Short mmCIF file of all heavy atoms in Angstrom, two decimals:
data_model
loop_
_atom_site.label_atom_id
_atom_site.label_comp_id
_atom_site.label_asym_id
_atom_site.label_seq_id
_atom_site.Cartn_x
_atom_site.Cartn_y
_atom_site.Cartn_z
N ASP A 137 15.99 12.08 0.06
CA ASP A 137 16.99 11.12 0.57
C ASP A 137 16.44 9.79 0.20
O ASP A 137 15.56 9.21 0.89
CB ASP A 137 17.20 11.28 2.08
CG ASP A 137 18.29 10.38 2.61
OD1 ASP A 137 18.52 9.33 1.95
OD2 ASP A 137 18.87 10.72 3.61
N ASN A 138 16.93 9.18 -0.88
CA ASN A 138 16.36 7.91 -1.35
C ASN A 138 16.65 6.71 -0.42
O ASN A 138 15.98 5.78 -0.33
CB ASN A 138 16.94 7.58 -2.76
CG ASN A 138 16.33 8.48 -3.83
OD1 ASN A 138 15.28 9.04 -3.70
ND2 ASN A 138 17.13 8.67 -4.91
N ALA A 139 17.75 6.86 0.38
CA ALA A 139 18.08 5.84 1.33
C ALA A 139 17.07 5.83 2.46
O ALA A 139 16.80 4.82 3.10
CB ALA A 139 19.47 6.02 1.90
N LYS A 140 16.47 6.96 2.73
CA LYS A 140 15.50 7.07 3.83
C LYS A 140 14.07 7.14 3.28
O LYS A 140 13.11 7.28 4.08
CB LYS A 140 15.77 8.30 4.66
CG LYS A 140 17.04 8.23 5.43
CD LYS A 140 17.27 9.43 6.33
CE LYS A 140 18.60 9.44 7.11
NZ LYS A 140 18.77 10.60 7.93
N ASN A 141 13.90 7.05 1.96
CA ASN A 141 12.55 7.14 1.33
C ASN A 141 11.84 8.42 1.81
O ASN A 141 10.63 8.37 2.18
CB ASN A 141 11.72 5.95 1.69
CG ASN A 141 12.30 4.66 1.00
OD1 ASN A 141 12.99 4.78 0.01
ND2 ASN A 141 11.80 3.52 1.42
N THR A 142 12.53 9.49 1.87
CA THR A 142 11.96 10.73 2.45
C THR A 142 12.23 11.91 1.51
O THR A 142 13.29 12.06 0.95
CB THR A 142 12.56 10.99 3.81
OG1 THR A 142 12.33 9.90 4.65
CG2 THR A 142 11.94 12.26 4.47
N LEU A 143 11.18 12.71 1.41
CA LEU A 143 11.20 13.98 0.66
C LEU A 143 11.18 15.09 1.66
O LEU A 143 10.54 15.01 2.71
CB LEU A 143 9.95 14.02 -0.25
CG LEU A 143 9.68 15.31 -1.11
CD1 LEU A 143 10.69 15.44 -2.28
CD2 LEU A 143 8.26 15.33 -1.57
N TYR A 144 11.91 16.23 1.24
CA TYR A 144 11.92 17.36 2.16
C TYR A 144 11.57 18.69 1.43
O TYR A 144 11.67 18.73 0.17
CB TYR A 144 13.39 17.51 2.72
CG TYR A 144 13.87 16.39 3.47
CD1 TYR A 144 14.70 15.41 2.86
CD2 TYR A 144 13.47 16.12 4.76
CE1 TYR A 144 15.16 14.31 3.64
CE2 TYR A 144 13.93 15.02 5.50
CZ TYR A 144 14.84 14.15 4.86
OH TYR A 144 15.27 13.01 5.60
N LEU A 145 11.15 19.63 2.18
CA LEU A 145 10.97 20.93 1.64
C LEU A 145 11.49 21.95 2.76
O LEU A 145 10.86 22.11 3.82
CB LEU A 145 9.55 21.23 1.36
CG LEU A 145 9.30 22.59 0.63
CD1 LEU A 145 9.93 22.63 -0.76
CD2 LEU A 145 7.77 22.91 0.57
N GLN A 146 12.62 22.56 2.52
CA GLN A 146 13.18 23.54 3.36
C GLN A 146 12.52 24.90 2.97
O GLN A 146 12.68 25.36 1.83
CB GLN A 146 14.65 23.60 3.28
CG GLN A 146 15.32 24.74 4.14
CD GLN A 146 15.13 24.48 5.62
OE1 GLN A 146 15.32 23.36 6.05
NE2 GLN A 146 14.82 25.52 6.35
N MET A 147 11.91 25.53 3.86
CA MET A 147 11.20 26.79 3.57
C MET A 147 11.80 27.90 4.38
O MET A 147 11.71 27.88 5.66
CB MET A 147 9.67 26.64 3.90
CG MET A 147 9.03 25.46 3.18
SD MET A 147 7.24 25.44 3.42
CE MET A 147 7.15 25.20 5.13
N ASN A 148 12.39 28.87 3.77
CA ASN A 148 12.98 30.01 4.38
C ASN A 148 12.28 31.31 4.04
O ASN A 148 11.50 31.34 3.10
CB ASN A 148 14.50 30.14 4.03
CG ASN A 148 15.26 28.93 4.45
OD1 ASN A 148 14.94 28.25 5.42
ND2 ASN A 148 16.35 28.58 3.69
N SER A 149 12.50 32.33 4.85
CA SER A 149 11.90 33.65 4.54
C SER A 149 10.42 33.53 4.35
O SER A 149 9.87 34.06 3.35
CB SER A 149 12.58 34.28 3.31
OG SER A 149 13.93 34.37 3.49
N LEU A 150 9.76 32.86 5.19
CA LEU A 150 8.33 32.53 5.09
C LEU A 150 7.51 33.89 5.15
O LEU A 150 7.83 34.79 5.89
CB LEU A 150 7.87 31.54 6.13
CG LEU A 150 8.25 30.12 5.77
CD1 LEU A 150 8.20 29.22 6.99
CD2 LEU A 150 7.33 29.54 4.70
N LYS A 151 6.42 33.85 4.39
CA LYS A 151 5.51 34.98 4.28
C LYS A 151 4.18 34.60 4.73
O LYS A 151 3.81 33.41 4.62
CB LYS A 151 5.52 35.51 2.83
CG LYS A 151 6.83 35.91 2.29
CD LYS A 151 6.71 36.31 0.82
CE LYS A 151 8.07 36.67 0.21
NZ LYS A 151 7.93 37.00 -1.20
N PRO A 152 3.30 35.49 5.16
CA PRO A 152 1.91 35.15 5.50
C PRO A 152 1.23 34.42 4.37
O PRO A 152 0.40 33.59 4.58
CB PRO A 152 1.28 36.46 5.89
CG PRO A 152 2.44 37.33 6.31
CD PRO A 152 3.62 36.91 5.46
N GLU A 153 1.56 34.80 3.14
CA GLU A 153 0.92 34.17 2.01
C GLU A 153 1.34 32.76 1.72
O GLU A 153 0.84 32.06 0.83
CB GLU A 153 1.08 35.00 0.66
CG GLU A 153 2.51 35.39 0.39
CD GLU A 153 2.86 36.78 0.90
OE1 GLU A 153 2.50 37.12 2.01
OE2 GLU A 153 3.54 37.53 0.15
N ASP A 154 2.37 32.30 2.46
CA ASP A 154 2.73 30.87 2.40
C ASP A 154 1.83 30.00 3.29
O ASP A 154 1.99 28.76 3.30
CB ASP A 154 4.18 30.67 2.84
CG ASP A 154 5.15 31.38 1.88
OD1 ASP A 154 4.98 31.23 0.71
OD2 ASP A 154 6.11 32.00 2.35
N THR A 155 0.98 30.60 4.07
CA THR A 155 0.02 29.79 4.92
C THR A 155 -0.82 28.96 4.08
O THR A 155 -1.50 29.43 3.13
CB THR A 155 -0.84 30.79 5.74
OG1 THR A 155 -0.05 31.54 6.64
CG2 THR A 155 -1.90 30.03 6.52
N ALA A 156 -0.77 27.63 4.33
CA ALA A 156 -1.50 26.65 3.57
C ALA A 156 -1.34 25.23 4.15
O ALA A 156 -0.48 25.06 5.02
CB ALA A 156 -1.02 26.61 2.13
N LEU A 157 -2.12 24.37 3.64
CA LEU A 157 -1.92 22.95 3.89
C LEU A 157 -0.90 22.42 2.80
O LEU A 157 -1.16 22.66 1.62
CB LEU A 157 -3.19 22.15 3.81
CG LEU A 157 -3.11 20.62 4.04
CD1 LEU A 157 -2.75 20.37 5.55
CD2 LEU A 157 -4.47 19.98 3.64
N TYR A 158 0.08 21.82 3.20
CA TYR A 158 1.11 21.38 2.26
C TYR A 158 1.09 19.83 2.26
O TYR A 158 1.11 19.22 3.33
CB TYR A 158 2.54 21.80 2.74
CG TYR A 158 2.83 23.26 2.52
CD1 TYR A 158 2.23 24.22 3.24
CD2 TYR A 158 3.72 23.68 1.50
CE1 TYR A 158 2.49 25.59 3.08
CE2 TYR A 158 4.01 25.02 1.29
CZ TYR A 158 3.37 25.98 2.08
OH TYR A 158 3.67 27.31 1.90
N TRP A 159 1.14 19.29 1.02
CA TRP A 159 1.24 17.88 0.89
C TRP A 159 2.20 17.42 -0.20
O TRP A 159 2.47 18.19 -1.07
CB TRP A 159 -0.16 17.19 0.66
CG TRP A 159 -0.88 17.49 -0.54
CD1 TRP A 159 -0.65 16.89 -1.82
CD2 TRP A 159 -1.83 18.49 -0.85
NE1 TRP A 159 -1.58 17.48 -2.74
CE2 TRP A 159 -2.25 18.40 -2.15
CE3 TRP A 159 -2.46 19.42 0.05
CZ2 TRP A 159 -3.26 19.23 -2.67
CZ3 TRP A 159 -3.45 20.28 -0.47
CH2 TRP A 159 -3.81 20.19 -1.80
N CYS A 160 2.72 16.22 -0.05
CA CYS A 160 3.56 15.65 -1.07
C CYS A 160 2.75 14.70 -1.89
O CYS A 160 1.72 14.16 -1.51
CB CYS A 160 4.73 14.93 -0.44
SG CYS A 160 4.31 13.56 0.65
N ALA A 161 3.22 14.52 -3.11
CA ALA A 161 2.48 13.68 -4.10
C ALA A 161 3.37 13.16 -5.16
O ALA A 161 4.51 13.69 -5.41
CB ALA A 161 1.33 14.43 -4.71
N THR A 162 2.92 12.11 -5.76
CA THR A 162 3.58 11.56 -6.98
C THR A 162 2.50 10.86 -7.83
O THR A 162 1.34 10.81 -7.49
CB THR A 162 4.73 10.62 -6.61
OG1 THR A 162 5.47 10.27 -7.75
CG2 THR A 162 4.13 9.32 -5.95
N ASN A 163 2.97 10.38 -8.97
CA ASN A 163 2.01 9.64 -9.88
C ASN A 163 2.53 8.24 -10.03
O ASN A 163 3.64 8.05 -10.44
CB ASN A 163 1.93 10.36 -11.22
CG ASN A 163 0.84 9.67 -12.10
OD1 ASN A 163 1.00 8.58 -12.46
ND2 ASN A 163 -0.22 10.45 -12.33
N ILE A 164 1.75 7.27 -9.64
CA ILE A 164 2.15 5.90 -9.72
C ILE A 164 1.11 5.13 -10.58
O ILE A 164 -0.02 5.03 -10.29
CB ILE A 164 2.20 5.21 -8.29
CG1 ILE A 164 3.25 5.96 -7.49
CG2 ILE A 164 2.52 3.74 -8.41
CD1 ILE A 164 3.32 5.45 -6.03
N ARG A 165 1.63 4.67 -11.72
CA ARG A 165 0.90 3.94 -12.67
C ARG A 165 -0.42 4.65 -13.06
O ARG A 165 -1.49 4.05 -13.06
CB ARG A 165 0.57 2.51 -12.07
CG ARG A 165 1.82 1.64 -11.99
CD ARG A 165 1.47 0.23 -11.49
NE ARG A 165 1.03 0.17 -10.16
CZ ARG A 165 1.83 0.19 -9.06
NH1 ARG A 165 3.17 0.18 -9.26
NH2 ARG A 165 1.39 0.06 -7.82
N GLY A 166 -0.26 5.96 -13.25
CA GLY A 166 -1.35 6.74 -13.78
C GLY A 166 -2.25 7.32 -12.69
O GLY A 166 -3.21 8.08 -13.09
N ALA A 167 -2.02 7.03 -11.49
CA ALA A 167 -2.94 7.53 -10.42
C ALA A 167 -2.09 8.39 -9.45
O ALA A 167 -0.92 7.97 -9.08
CB ALA A 167 -3.52 6.39 -9.65
N GLU A 168 -2.59 9.56 -9.01
CA GLU A 168 -1.92 10.36 -8.12
C GLU A 168 -1.97 9.76 -6.73
O GLU A 168 -3.05 9.41 -6.29
CB GLU A 168 -2.39 11.77 -8.18
CG GLU A 168 -1.65 12.70 -7.15
CD GLU A 168 -1.89 14.18 -7.30
OE1 GLU A 168 -1.23 14.82 -8.05
OE2 GLU A 168 -2.78 14.65 -6.51
N ALA A 169 -0.84 9.76 -6.08
CA ALA A 169 -0.81 9.37 -4.66
C ALA A 169 -0.37 10.64 -3.89
O ALA A 169 0.52 11.34 -4.27
CB ALA A 169 0.24 8.26 -4.45
N ARG A 170 -1.01 10.85 -2.78
CA ARG A 170 -0.73 12.03 -2.02
C ARG A 170 -0.92 11.74 -0.49
O ARG A 170 -1.70 10.81 -0.14
CB ARG A 170 -1.59 13.24 -2.39
CG ARG A 170 -3.08 12.95 -2.30
CD ARG A 170 -3.90 14.33 -2.24
NE ARG A 170 -3.76 14.93 -0.94
CZ ARG A 170 -4.44 16.03 -0.60
NH1 ARG A 170 -5.24 16.59 -1.46
NH2 ARG A 170 -4.27 16.57 0.63
N GLY A 171 -0.30 12.57 0.25
CA GLY A 171 -0.54 12.39 1.75
C GLY A 171 -1.62 13.27 2.21
O GLY A 171 -2.34 14.01 1.46
N GLN A 172 -1.87 13.26 3.57
CA GLN A 172 -2.92 14.01 4.14
C GLN A 172 -2.55 15.52 4.29
O GLN A 172 -3.44 16.37 4.43
CB GLN A 172 -3.29 13.43 5.51
CG GLN A 172 -3.94 12.04 5.44
CD GLN A 172 -5.28 12.13 4.69
OE1 GLN A 172 -6.13 12.94 5.04
NE2 GLN A 172 -5.43 11.21 3.74
N GLY A 173 -1.26 15.75 4.33
CA GLY A 173 -0.79 17.06 4.44
C GLY A 173 -0.40 17.52 5.86
O GLY A 173 -0.72 16.89 6.80
N THR A 174 0.32 18.62 5.93
CA THR A 174 0.78 19.25 7.10
C THR A 174 0.49 20.76 7.02
O THR A 174 0.81 21.39 5.98
CB THR A 174 2.22 18.93 7.46
OG1 THR A 174 2.57 19.44 8.73
CG2 THR A 174 3.18 19.49 6.45
N GLN A 175 -0.03 21.34 8.12
CA GLN A 175 -0.44 22.76 8.03
C GLN A 175 0.70 23.64 8.35
O GLN A 175 1.40 23.43 9.32
CB GLN A 175 -1.63 22.97 9.03
CG GLN A 175 -2.04 24.45 9.12
CD GLN A 175 -2.70 24.86 7.80
OE1 GLN A 175 -3.46 24.14 7.20
NE2 GLN A 175 -2.49 26.16 7.43
N VAL A 176 0.85 24.64 7.56
CA VAL A 176 1.86 25.69 7.77
C VAL A 176 1.14 27.02 7.93
O VAL A 176 0.34 27.39 7.06
CB VAL A 176 2.87 25.82 6.63
CG1 VAL A 176 3.70 27.01 6.79
CG2 VAL A 176 3.69 24.54 6.54
N THR A 177 1.39 27.71 9.07
CA THR A 177 0.77 28.96 9.34
C THR A 177 1.85 30.00 9.53
O THR A 177 2.64 29.80 10.48
CB THR A 177 -0.18 28.89 10.46
OG1 THR A 177 -1.21 27.95 10.21
CG2 THR A 177 -0.90 30.24 10.75
N VAL A 178 1.86 31.06 8.81
CA VAL A 178 2.81 32.10 8.96
C VAL A 178 2.09 33.34 9.50
O VAL A 178 1.33 33.93 8.71
CB VAL A 178 3.55 32.40 7.67
CG1 VAL A 178 4.66 33.46 7.88
CG2 VAL A 178 4.16 31.14 7.12
N SER A 179 2.37 33.69 10.68
CA SER A 179 1.65 34.85 11.29
C SER A 179 2.42 35.48 12.39
O SER A 179 3.16 34.75 13.13
CB SER A 179 0.29 34.30 11.81
OG SER A 179 -0.38 35.43 12.53
#
Side-chain angles (χ1 to χ4, degrees):
D137 186 334
N138 290 336
K140 294 183 178 180
N141 291 343
T142 302
L143 175 73
Y144 302 100
L145 185 68
Q146 177 67 44
M147 306 186 296
N148 299 328
S149 302
L150 282 161
K151 305 175 181 180
E153 50 263 43
D154 294 317
T155 295
L157 180 69
Y158 287 72
W159 66 83
C160 58
T162 188
N163 187 293
I164 298 177
R165 294 183 288 277
E168 179 168 274
R170 56 160 288 185
Q172 293 296 312
T174 185
Q175 178 67 37
V176 172
T177 302
V178 184
S179 175

